[in-house]
Amino acid sequence: MTTPERNSGGLTRITAPEGVAPGYGYSHVVWGTGRFVAISGQCALDEKGEVVGEGDPAAQATQVFENLRRCLAAAGAGFEHVVKLTYFLTDTAHFPAVRAARDAVLSPDRLPASSAVVVSELFLPGLMMEIEAFAIVPE
């Protein structure tokens, strides 16, 4: 069995379980004990509900991760507590911008589990991505 990697935040990660291909930019397994926090999918909306960075995936990804940061903080959590991210993208071409924004707030050697889904559209015209997060905050 692959040796789990534990961090000071109380989370344990396995990036490549035995018999499973290594993940590219994510951990296959993450677990921990504590208070569970679910953050609804965040889009590139500012505090007024207006779309930020229409047509610019990098600007949208930056806004999404800022919104995630604010939501996590409201729950007494930070990106170090995130165990799962789910990406909903309107085009796979947006992945590099999302990864760059993610890597600006998450350590690339301690990535959460993640899933990505390509969707035909989101709830407002001009939105290119929505990202939800699950976190575990140690008691």
Side-chain angles (χ1 to χ4, degrees):
M1 177 175 165
T2 305
T3 305
E5 176 189 324
R6 290 176 175 75
N7 72 7
S8 59
L11 301 178
T12 302
R13 290 176 170 77
I14 300 176
T15 55
E18 187 173 322
V20 177
Y24 173 69
Y26 62 92
S27 297
H28 278 287
V29 182
V30 182
W31 72 87
T33 58
R35 183 171 43 88
F36 178 75
V37 177
I39 306 296
S40 291
Q42 296 298 303
C43 295
L45 300 176
D46 65 15
E47 61 276 357
K48 297 175 188 170
E50 297 179 12
V51 175
V52 172
E54 192 163 340
D56 183 348
Q60 288 206 4
T62 298
Q63 181 67 44
V64 169
F65 277 95
E66 177 57 20
N67 290 348
L68 286 169
R69 183 195 66 74
R70 290 176 178 163
C71 291
L72 287 163
F79 283 108
E80 69 274 16
H81 301 116
V82 172
V83 296
K84 174 82 164 68
L85 291 170
T86 305
Y87 306 96
F88 302 92
L89 306 174
T90 60
D91 191 322
T92 57
H94 306 326
F95 274 119
V98 169
R99 285 189 182 116
R102 179 207 59 197
D103 290 350
V105 297
L106 283 162
S107 175
D109 63 337
R110 295 192 184 277
L111 294 173
S114 61
S115 298
V117 181
V118 176
V119 298
S120 60
E121 62 185 332
L122 293 165
F123 72 98
L124 283 177
L127 291 175
M128 305 166 93
M129 62 195 68
E130 181 173 332
I131 303 172
E132 69 180 13
F134 299 145
I136 298 176
V137 181
E139 298 288 351

